[in-house]
Structures are given as C-alpha cells and as structure tokens.
C-alpha cells in the first residue's frame, strides 16, 4: 500500500512527465522521494543502476526517464532511441527485480501499437501489426519494457505494470521547432506570431492526421492513482476524449489564445500514422478518468512558455 512515508524512486524527474509526477507527489504529502540527475546516475549504466537500487531499496519505482522527441528527432536518431531507452528499461526493471522491489510503474507511449489503425486502440492490439516506421526505434524499446514488466509480474507475483498515454503536453515540454511534438510546436509558433516574429502559422504535412492529447498533470494523477492499487493489469491505456486533426488543434488553440492568422503547410515527407486514438475502457472501468479541460490546460501551458 502506497503511504505518505513510502520510499519512492522517481526516474526522470527533470522531464516534463517526471517533473509533473514530482510536483504532485509533493503536493499530496509524499516525503520520501528519491531523485537523481543524469550526472548523478546514468541509467544506461547497468552496474551503477543496480548498485543504486541495492543501496537505496525503494518500495516503489516510477520510470519516467527516457530519450524522447518529436517525429523528426525519432527519424534522425532511431538507433539512439532504441538502444538508450532499452537500456534504461532493462537496467531499472531488472535491477528492481534483483533487489526485491515489489512495485514498479513503467511509462510508455501510444506509439507501441500498430500504425494506421482506424478504430480506437485497445491494449490487446499490442504486437498485432506493423509499427509506424517514423518512431519504430522508440516503440520497440517501450515494448521491451512493457513485456519485461508483464513477465516479472506473471512469473514472480510482482506489481510491475505499464501505463500507455496518448500525446502528452504541458509545462516543461520541449519547444524546439525541429525536435518537438506537434502541440508544443503550435504553441511556440503562436508565441512567435504574437511577438510579431512570425506572420503565419506553419504546420508540417497536410494537417489531416488525427491526434489525441492529455495534459501532463492528468497523466501524473493517473500514475499516483494506479500506484495505489495492487494487482494492476500489465498494460493500461491512459487517454482522453480530446481528439482533433492537427489542423483543427491549431484552430482550437488559436481560438483559445485569441490569435487570428492564416494556417499554411510546409511541404515535407515527414509523416506519422494517420490516427492514434486510445480505447480507455479499461482505465475507466478501474476508476480513472482525466479531469482537465483542454482550454484550461492550453492556457496554463502557454502562460509558462
């Protein structure tokens, strides 16, 4: 049972998701949180990761650490995304098993599912089709982590499980226009338009691809909700009802932030899967649902940009 004095190791506390989890843990009165920067602990180093877990013996482990980026970065650094994320998952999950840690949460991504599915994606679709090529390296690493958690729970009666969120956005996101995901890129471009440093809102592709998004504070809430539960299913989708085409996301955000400009499209061969809408029947059945309105989340995020 997760208690206020439970020892919790949060891997990746400086990232967007990890920092949101850390804020929520502190807000709710959890005092015994272990965090380490990349300089203090290289999670791709097996020996150092094992030694750290053995020495500290946390009761709960949250893996929010990962090499992440938008579609272009995924394509350009596919080997890095595969090897670094696999090492992080392997070192922490196996190290936790070796040091007899009972509870572990692994954060993945909706990209682990087959690409170009028109219907909503349920958890049982994993490994039932070909991955979308642009982020295949990242997806394979995350699938490795998912299955490793599943096997350790199945064979050794551990509470190791994975949450698969849709596209996450919020404070602490990456706003580099070459490496970010689509939504923070839209926010950054709107800021440039407001500052008169950009005339039009330029989007990659044709804007027709559909995406589902979740505010990072809601994802953090889901993490704590399921950490408090015992015997979780090995894989749980975390999503929302917020799905638009990328073009319509841009229109919605411009309306929320009171920006009027023309949308133009960059001619590019960089394309992702057409749709990635998650089926959240399981998470709702288990008692969790997102809380933050899209307009509220956009305003909160933009104010901190």
């Amino acid at each position: 049972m997760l208690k206020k004095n439970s020892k919790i190791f949060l891997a990746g506390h400086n990232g967007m998701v990890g920092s949101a989890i850390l804020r929520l843990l502190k807000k709710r009165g959890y005092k015994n949180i272990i965090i380490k920067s990349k300089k203090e602990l290289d999670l791709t180093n097996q020996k150092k990761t094992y030694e750290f877990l053995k020495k500290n013996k946390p009761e709960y482990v949250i893996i929010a650490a990962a090499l992440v980026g938008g579609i272009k970065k995924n394509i350009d650094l596919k080997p890095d995304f595969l090897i670094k994320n696999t090492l992080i998952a392997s070192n922490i999950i196996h190290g936790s098993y070796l040091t007899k840690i009972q509870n572990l949460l692994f954060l993945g991504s909706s990209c682990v599912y087959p690409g170009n599915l028109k219907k909503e994606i349920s958890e049982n679709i994993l490994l039932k089709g070909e991955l979308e090529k642009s982020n295949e390296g990242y997806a394979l690493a995350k699938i490795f982590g998912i299955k490793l958690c599943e096997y350790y729970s199945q064979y050794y009666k551990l509470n190791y499980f994975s949450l698969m969120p849709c596209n996450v956005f919020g404070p602490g996101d990456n706003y580099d226009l070459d490496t970010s995901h689509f939504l923070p890129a839209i926010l950054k471009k709107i800021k440039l338009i407001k500052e008169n440093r950009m005339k039009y809102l330029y989007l990659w592709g044709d804007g027709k691809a559909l995406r589902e998004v979740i505010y990072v504070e809601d994802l953090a809430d889901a993490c704590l909700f399921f950490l408090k539960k015992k015997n979780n299913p090995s894989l749980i989708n975390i999503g929302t009802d917020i799905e638009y085409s990328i073009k319509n996301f841009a229109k919605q955000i411009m309306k929320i932030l009171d920006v009027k400009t023309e949308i133009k499209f960059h001619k590019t061969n960089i394309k992702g899967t057409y749709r990635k809408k998650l089926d959240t029947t399981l998470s709702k059945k288990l008692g969790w649902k997102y809380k933050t309105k899209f307009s509220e989340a956009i305003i909160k995020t933009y104010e901190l940009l």
Side-chain angles (χ1 to χ4, degrees), residues 67-130:
L67 174 64
V68 298
I71 186 169
K72 186 176 185 300
K73 190 173 180 181
N74 267 273
I75 293 170
D76 292 345
L77 298 177
K78 195 173 288 187
D80 300 73
F81 274 79
L82 176 58
I83 188 62
K84 289 184 179 180
N85 287 310
T86 301
L87 286 171
I88 290 169
S90 174
N91 292 343
I92 302 178
I93 297 168
H94 186 57
S96 295
Y97 159 71
L98 290 177
T99 48
K100 296 180 169 49
I101 295 166
Q102 296 295 308
N103 305 284
L104 183 145
L105 162 58
F106 178 67
L107 279 162
S109 164
S110 59
C111 72
V112 301
Y113 295 114
N116 297 313
L117 294 175
K118 294 181 180 179
K119 63 180 182 179
E120 293 188 355
I121 305 167
S122 62
E123 290 86 353
N124 61 13
I125 296 297
L126 186 71
L127 298 177
K128 297 290 177 64
E130 188 174 356

Side-chain angles (χ1 to χ4, degrees), residues 2-37:
L2 182 64
K3 300 176 181 178
K4 300 297 183 182
N5 63 347
S6 295
K7 187 183 283 191
I8 304 165
F9 171 46
L10 172 57
H13 74 283
N14 281 322
M16 174 178 61
V17 176
S19 60
I21 295 170
L22 182 60
R23 288 193 298 271
L24 190 59
L25 284 169
K26 290 180 176 179
K27 182 180 178 181
R28 294 187 180 174
Y30 293 91
K31 307 289 186 183
N32 201 357
I33 309 165
I34 308 168
I35 53 175
K36 291 290 180 181
S37 68

Side-chain angles (χ1 to χ4, degrees), residues 171-187:
D173 211 336
N174 169 27
Y175 295 97
D176 184 293
L177 295 181
D178 286 326
T179 62
S180 67
H181 290 98
F182 82 92
L183 197 146
I186 291 173
L187 289 176

